[in-house]
Amino acid sequence: MTTPVHQFHTDANRAAQDLQQRAQIQSALSSYETACEARKSAFRDWESARQTAAEIKWDAVNHLDQHLREFADKLESRGTQVHWASNEQQARDIILEIIRSNNAHSIIKSKVMTGEEIHINEALEKAAFDVVESDLGEFIVQLRREAPYHFVFPAMHLKRGEISELFNRELGTALTEDPEELTMIARRVLRDKYITADVGISGANFAIAETGMISITENEGNARLTCALPKVHIALLGIEKVLPRLRDLALFLPMLATAGAGQALTCYNSLYGGPRQPDECDGPEEFHVVLLDNNRTQLLADKQQRDALHCIRCGACLNVCPIYRSIGGHTYGTTYQGPIGSVITPHLRGLQDWKHLSSASSLCGACTQVCPVKIDLHHHLLHNRRNAVIDKPVWREKLQFAIFRSVMNRPKLYRFCVRIGRLMQPLHRLVDGTRLDPARGWTQTRKLPRIAPQTFKDFWRNRK
Amino acid sequence: MKVTLFIPCFIDLCHPNVGMSIVQILEQLGHTIDYPEELTCCGQPAFNSGCWDEARDVAVKVVERLQDAEVIVIASGSCGAMLKVFYPELFQKTGCEQAAKSVANKTFEFSDFLVTKLGVTDLGARFPARVTFHDGCHGLRELDLKQQPRTLLSHVRDLELLEMSEAETCCGFGGTFSTKFPMISSAMGDGKCASAQETGAEYIVSNDSSCLMHLQGLLDRQGKPLKTIHLAEVLTSS
Amino acid sequence: MSERENILGRIREALTLSADVPGHKQNNLLQVVSEEEAAPHIHEWLPAVGETIEDGLALFAKNSAELKTDFRLVDSLEDLNAQITEMASGWKKIATHSGELTDAVGDKLGLPVCSTDEGYEASDLESCDVGITQCDCLVAQTGSVLVTARSAGGRALSVLPPHHIVLAQRSQLLPDLPAAFALLEERYASNYPSFISLITGPSRTGDIERILVLGAHGPKQLTVFCL
């Protein structure tokens, strides 16, 4: 069996050399960049907004127990059933039980990343339920039977031609290169599903403690239909989604839209505080909120990296990340890609299995610079590296750095090594860049710099 | 002023001219140079690999030697960030915590020292070429170096600065990352070189030799004519 | 012990060590904002809005143009009816709910009406050409329409038909988002509707090569009439 780290190396090496895919990502993200910058500058003070957002999220996460209790109590008081799941299995069981007890068959889903996290689609299909993704990008990747490429733009890696062929193959529709026609194909297919589905499953972007509501941000209207028409609505969300107060949304909604998609506000920002109420004409008869831990409390216990739970999943860190832009989303092999994924996956799914994601970074800090809630992302990658070594040292690396330490701390030994290095240089030319080259990690793609005939230390000594 | 100079290992070995240029500039400005020959590395390779114990063993020598310095000038944004930003964290809750903080407070990256600390912007240099500037990530984001090197370049005679669209994008070096993930690192470097080339510049200038070493390595391998040069070397040209 | 108690217990245990507030290590910025301190500031950082109602209308119009919302200022109910009648050519069936403004319009068209007031069949609503609703307020800052299950005839009326028409009054225009949330609290705090939505332009997607397409799943057209 291939381990995550081997898979990562294989996929990363292939993707990094796939110029076509890299060009596709660049062009998809370039319009985002322009729009995002314009939206930020429309804010009178984006930096203060970031600071306040970070502080509000700090409050939310550092008083999580109080806020969650308030959130759940408020929801329950208005007829919502709140469920608590410690892990993936429990969450899946809860959802399956709700569906079974309602004698439901068909399920419509709007975008829910926690659903990817608990592999809910596989579980539903295994139990012979009919489940359809309604977000256009998710619908496309579901038809392709692959994971989202980006947790905000799931089908970013595909060209319209590929989507057209996919629809032709899977839905029997005519080929077209027009994005509008392609969108309308999905619209027609899904319309029927909304009306006939028994259960709608959604995620949530925020959980408002004060009023007991979930907030869902979307552009297409698919989540609104998912939460309006089926007679049962299940919302699955991580416990870290809380915001203390309703009015906090006045800040978070425009910040999420700006950082996430370069929009002033996303098309639909909807709040759901219960099933259909006595004075209301529609809405589901049952509303279930499933709160998922799945090792988030473990991340919470790490006070240094706790701020990673501030994440509002805007995806800005992916969009600016030169690593993401070089290797693409699937290479990560995680639910959450990019810098935030590299930070939290070791906590959610095991440090030793996923520590390589923290090493696969130049620590450039572009992610931290754009994060709207000021998560110290690139420093957390460093912290994961340190924690991984403390937890289980890699002896080859330990040995390397033991030698490094001896050489750097002993001037005479250092000088001796420089001399040896100079002697080796002509020999190195014979193997330069080949499989025999001990410096192949560097020389495969780059020329090795030469040791100067006179080092700075030589120069200084001569001068004296 | 007595300036204690920290020359990182790769500059000592492969780019000694950078160090020599800095010595020349600082001496011309009337400062005395103190160069601790016994110091070679700030410990960053071990630190970035998660081996903080080994990093501390190397860094402690640096802290002990530099804690009484009047001011410390370092010839790299990346190693500068190590001293200024990461030493205080590395030595947190150790006997060296205070000394590390004191070192951090008086450490300046070379261009920052000239512009911010000394208020020097014109060194009378002449460099007749079209250049583009690469912002090293550690310098840019950990030390907030953006204007300082550009201010210095703007006073160099006959130099034409052409900004590239990807000036702030990482070049892909990233220390040990460059050899652990060479294909990703090189893909990023290729992007950087392409952006630099688009400007029509003849040189990529930076205040970080480590980034330049990586970029030059790529350019040489691919036989491209674009050259790299450290800011200090530009400032001593005439 | 219930799973709720297990999770809350793990949270309490995790929080016994306190974490630094972001941004406070480097620069000694303000204390963590308390409710009283944060709220009055949020509007200062968001995009600028003008002082007067005229500024607000101009901004709403500008945002509408960008969003491809069809925004129309009308002088009177007669004017409103005339414009809607003109739009109605080709409509076979409309959907609406009862309300002061919707009542003044719906009956005049002489078309079959699907009213959501007493419940409806989803397929019936889906077959309508337009959904006509009222709203809670308009937000100049973002060009948004705030609707709730109570003000706009439920959850689906404003999203299922291919064209959504909003009828609003000039007095319903608010400057910014904080004002819109303040209005919600003021109006509903004792008993919130189960559904609240800020609608900002017609439904859209960019999921195919980041190219904007209107009418992904919700309405292709959004018309806002302001009396």
Side-chain angles (χ1 to χ4, degrees):
Chain A
M1 207 187 98
T2 49
T3 58
V5 60
H6 283 120
Q7 191 65 48
F8 180 83
H9 273 282
T10 312
D11 292 351
N13 282 348
R14 196 193 52 233
Q17 296 174 75
D18 183 346
L19 296 178
Q20 220 178 341
Q21 189 172 131
R22 268 165 60 199
Q24 164 91 1
I25 304 175
Q26 304 286 1
S27 78
L29 289 175
S30 66
S31 60
Y32 158 84
E33 277 174 2
T34 322
C36 187
E37 280 315 309
R39 290 305 172 192
K40 278 183 193 168
S41 55
F43 270 67
R44 272 174 289 180
D45 189 347
W46 174 254
E47 284 309 312
S48 292
R50 280 179 81 209
Q51 181 61 28
T52 302
E55 291 177 11
I56 291 173
K57 262 296 188 180
W58 181 93
D59 170 25
V61 167
N62 283 275
H63 302 101
L64 190 59
D65 51 335
Q66 297 163 32
H67 294 310
L68 271 182
R69 211 178 297 121
E70 189 184 7
F71 172 68
D73 291 348
K74 281 270 158 59
L75 273 170
E76 280 166 348
S77 74
R78 287 160 46 83
T80 302
Q81 298 177 54
V82 179
H83 309 262
W84 303 71
S86 284
N87 53 43
E88 290 179 25
Q89 186 63 49
Q90 285 180 8
R92 284 193 296 263
D93 290 347
I94 290 167
I95 292 172
L96 281 167
E97 177 53 32
I98 297 168
I99 294 171
R100 287 199 180 107
S101 67
N102 276 285
N103 282 322
H105 300 288
S106 70
I107 297 144
I108 186 110
K109 269 179 80 203
S110 69
K111 195 175 166 61
V112 43
M113 289 313 296
T114 36
E116 301 287 334
E117 196 180 321
I118 67 165
H119 307 289
I120 187 66
N121 284 6
E122 289 89 325
L124 291 170
E125 279 161 14
K126 211 174 132 203
F129 292 113
D130 174 27
V131 52
V132 183
E133 293 285 352
S134 59
D135 171 88
L136 177 59
E138 295 279 346
F139 177 70
I140 293 168
V141 296
Q142 189 193 22
L143 285 180
R144 281 172 63 92
R145 292 173 191 86
E146 67 183 15
Y149 193 76
H150 182 296
F151 60 72
V152 178
F153 313 130
M156 193 181 85
H157 57 308
L158 299 173
K159 286 197 193 314
R160 58 186 95 176
E162 294 170 271
I163 296 166
S164 172
E165 279 164 28
L166 175 75
F167 284 0
N168 174 262
R169 198 168 57 237
E170 300 288 331
L171 308 170
T173 52
L175 291 171
T176 169
E177 291 279 305
D178 181 2
E180 177 154 5
E181 277 182 41
L182 289 168
T183 305
M184 291 311 130
I185 291 172
R187 181 182 169 112
R188 276 196 300 277
V189 170
L190 288 162
R191 277 265 142 174
D192 195 41
K193 303 275 183 191
Y194 295 118
I195 292 170
T196 55
D198 307 305
V199 174
I201 299 182
S202 78
N205 296 84
F206 302 103
I208 310 300
E210 176 190 41
T211 55
M213 294 172 184
I214 60 162
S215 171
I216 301 181
T217 290
E218 54 153 348
N219 271 314
E220 298 180 1
N222 61 306
R224 283 193 58 192
L225 290 165
T226 301
C227 304
L229 300 175
K231 68 180 193 328
V232 179
H233 173 198
I234 304 171
L236 173 67
L237 51 142
I239 51 172
E240 83 284 12
K241 290 281 163 202
V242 288
L243 279 180
R245 297 164 295 267
L246 182 64
R247 73 188 75 151
D248 295 334
L249 289 174
L251 181 66
F252 279 88
L253 297 180
M255 287 188 80
L256 175 59
T258 297
Q263 291 176 279
L265 207 57
T266 315
C267 193
Y268 301 109
N269 286 285
S270 311
L271 288 153
Y272 298 92
R276 171 185 186 169
Q277 299 295 297
D279 60 339
E280 291 172 357
C281 65
D282 61 2
E285 289 159 25
E286 285 182 21
F287 180 33
H288 299 265
V289 168
V290 184
L291 289 165
L292 179 69
D293 177 351
N294 209 20
N295 291 329
R296 284 165 173 77
T297 44
Q298 204 172 309
L299 177 53
L300 189 73
D302 183 338
K303 75 181 181 92
Q304 199 168 27
Q305 295 192 49
R306 187 177 295 161
D307 68 352
L309 291 169
H310 296 185
C311 179
I312 57 172
R313 303 280 187 267
C314 68
C317 61
L318 281 67
N319 301 341
V320 299
C321 178
I323 313 287
Y324 181 88
R325 294 170 78 128
S326 299
I327 64 175
H330 287 152
T331 304
Y332 289 83
T334 56
T335 306
Y336 307 103
Q337 312 84 9
I340 184 67
S342 300
V343 168
I344 64 176
T345 307
H347 294 267
L348 302 182
R349 293 173 69 183
L351 178 59
Q352 292 306 330
D353 282 345
W354 298 97
K355 63 182 180 183
H356 58 279
L357 296 179
S358 298
S359 296
S361 165
S362 62
L363 303 173
C364 79
C367 47
T368 307
Q369 194 180 8
V370 297
C371 177
V373 289
K374 289 194 161 182
I375 302 172
D376 203 4
L377 288 159
H378 71 297
H379 291 155
H380 292 336
L381 296 175
L382 267 171
H383 298 141
N384 279 343
R385 295 181 190 185
R386 175 202 57 196
N387 296 347
V389 169
I390 293 173
D391 178 58
K392 190 177 166 206
V394 177
W395 292 110
R396 191 170 48 86
E397 207 161 62
K398 274 291 209 196
L399 181 68
Q400 261 172 20
F401 285 112
I403 297 169
F404 160 84
R405 171 175 56 191
S406 317
V407 174
M408 292 307 174
N409 279 349
R410 289 183 182 75
K412 277 187 186 152
L413 182 57
Y414 175 76
R415 221 177 305 152
F416 176 72
C417 290
V418 173
R419 226 170 284 148
I420 298 283
R422 277 212 193 92
L423 288 173
M424 299 299 281
Q425 274 188 147
L427 293 174
H428 177 258
R429 254 178 243 151
L430 301 172
V431 293
D432 190 5
T434 67
R435 291 198 178 278
L436 297 173
D437 188 349
R440 188 171 148 82
W442 181 275
T443 55
Q444 207 179 346
T445 52
R446 290 156 291 209
K447 231 175 139 184
L448 202 62
R450 299 187 53 76
I451 299 175
Q454 177 186 247
T455 65
F456 184 82
K457 286 186 199 291
D458 296 336
F459 154 79
W460 191 260
R461 220 168 296 125
N462 295 340
R463 221 173 80 125
K464 277 199 306 194
Chain B
M1 204 179 310
K2 186 176 164 193
V3 177
T4 301
L5 194 58
F6 188 100
I7 299 291
C9 41
F10 55 91
I11 292 187
D12 173 51
L13 282 178
C14 306
H15 304 282
N17 290 342
V18 174
M20 294 178 212
S21 297
I22 293 175
V23 170
Q24 187 188 329
I25 290 166
L26 294 177
E27 286 185 341
Q28 265 169 15
L29 291 168
H31 303 287
T32 327
I33 306 281
D34 159 40
Y35 172 60
E37 274 179 72
E38 68 273 31
L39 299 183
T40 305
C41 180
C42 61
Q44 188 166 203
F47 179 77
N48 279 359
S49 297
C51 298
W52 287 26
D53 289 339
E54 289 78 0
R56 225 172 310 188
D57 290 344
V58 173
V60 72
K61 304 268 184 203
V62 179
V63 171
E64 281 169 0
R65 174 62 177 81
L66 298 184
Q67 61 179 326
D68 297 320
E70 188 184 345
V71 64
I72 302 152
V73 169
I74 188 156
S76 150
S78 181
C79 307
M82 183 68 193
L83 266 67
K84 270 191 97 63
V85 180
F86 298 116
Y87 273 13
E89 184 172 357
L90 184 61
F91 288 103
Q92 216 170 31
K93 293 182 184 138
T94 70
C96 282
E97 188 169 2
Q98 280 317 312
K101 278 186 185 155
S102 139
V103 167
N105 287 335
K106 52 194 174 192
T107 297
F108 290 84
E109 182 274 338
F110 161 71
S111 70
D112 191 34
F113 181 69
L114 290 180
V115 177
T116 315
K117 178 83 174 170
L118 300 180
V120 173
T121 54
D122 188 350
L123 292 153
R126 181 175 167 274
F127 194 77
R130 295 185 305 274
V131 310
T132 189
F133 191 80
H134 160 62
D135 293 284
C137 299
H138 269 123
L140 178 69
R141 299 198 181 85
E142 305 288 355
L143 303 178
D144 211 11
L145 307 174
K146 178 77 189 175
Q147 281 318 311
Q148 297 88 323
R150 286 175 174 76
T151 306
L152 291 164
L153 286 176
S154 71
H155 289 94
V156 175
R157 275 96 189 137
D158 302 331
L159 178 145
E160 191 186 350
L161 177 64
L162 305 159
E163 292 285 0
M164 57 178 142
S165 59
E166 303 287 327
E168 293 190 2
T169 307
C170 180
C171 69
F173 173 64
T176 50
F177 166 75
S178 63
T179 55
K180 280 185 188 165
F181 299 92
M183 299 322 280
I184 310 177
S185 165
S186 302
M188 289 159 71
D190 287 342
K192 189 85 202 190
C193 291
S195 178
Q197 220 156 7
E198 263 171 37
T199 64
E202 299 152 79
Y203 289 90
I204 304 175
V205 182
S206 179
N207 47 352
D208 229 317
S209 292
S210 49
C211 306
L212 295 182
M213 188 168 75
H214 159 72
L215 294 174
Q216 191 68 61
L218 281 170
L219 291 165
D220 285 348
R221 208 32 125 215
Q222 297 168 7
K224 291 199 175 131
L226 195 61
K227 293 183 283 287
T228 63
I229 186 168
H230 191 278
L231 176 68
E233 295 176 274
V234 173
L235 296 178
T236 47
S237 301
S238 57
Chain C
M1 216 166 31
S2 71
E3 226 38 59
R4 170 181 162 127
E5 287 317 310
N6 284 338
I7 292 176
L8 289 173
R10 283 200 296 273
I11 292 172
R12 272 191 300 274
E13 200 185 313
L15 290 176
T16 48
L17 290 173
S18 69
D20 295 329
V21 182
H24 284 237
K25 232 192 305 185
Q26 296 92 338
N27 33 18
N28 294 317
L29 283 165
L30 24 139
Q31 291 281 305
V32 172
V33 279
S34 63
E35 184 177 353
E36 295 73 27
E37 286 168 56
H41 285 296
I42 287 175
H43 80 274
E44 293 169 21
W45 301 325
L46 296 176
V49 287
E51 300 281 319
T52 65
I53 293 200
E54 260 49 47
D55 292 341
L57 282 171
L59 183 57
F60 192 92
K62 177 176 163 278
N63 283 326
S64 295
E66 270 178 37
L67 292 162
K68 304 198 162 47
T69 299
D70 178 16
F71 174 55
R72 303 181 181 204
L73 272 172
V74 285
D75 302 329
S76 61
L77 274 176
E78 290 73 45
D79 189 8
L80 173 64
N81 269 310
Q83 293 202 30
I84 290 195
T85 309
E86 201 186 314
M87 270 182 195
S89 68
W91 291 352
K92 291 187 183 66
K93 190 172 176 185
I94 67 165
T96 188
H97 63 97
S98 62
E100 195 189 326
L101 294 173
T102 44
D103 289 347
V105 169
D107 300 342
K108 304 252 164 37
L109 289 168
L111 290 168
V113 177
C114 166
S115 169
T116 60
D117 293 337
E118 306 297 330
Y120 56 89
E121 279 299 317
S123 52
D124 191 27
L125 181 60
E126 210 270 333
S127 69
C128 293
D129 297 294
V130 64
I132 302 175
T133 77
Q134 298 187 168
C135 68
D136 285 85
C137 68
L138 305 177
V139 186
Q141 187 169 51
T142 50
S144 309
V145 180
L146 181 70
V147 299
T148 61
R150 256 172 254 168
S151 70
R155 298 189 183 198
L157 177 58
S158 53
V159 72
L160 195 55
H163 185 178
H164 178 204
I165 292 181
V166 179
L167 309 179
Q169 268 163 341
R170 191 181 271 247
S171 59
Q172 287 183 292
L173 181 73
L174 295 179
D176 58 13
L177 290 170
F181 282 97
L183 175 90
L184 277 177
E185 278 179 41
E186 194 186 309
R187 188 167 290 171
Y188 299 115
S190 60
N191 180 22
Y192 281 101
S194 73
F195 162 76
I196 299 167
S197 191
L198 265 168
I199 299 173
T200 310
S203 157
R204 61 198 56 218
T205 185
D207 272 351
I208 300 174
E209 293 188 17
R210 313 296 315 132
I211 294 164
L212 179 72
V213 175
L214 297 183
H217 294 286
K220 235 180 160 56
Q221 272 180 286
L222 173 65
T223 306
V224 177
F225 283 104
C226 187
L227 269 162

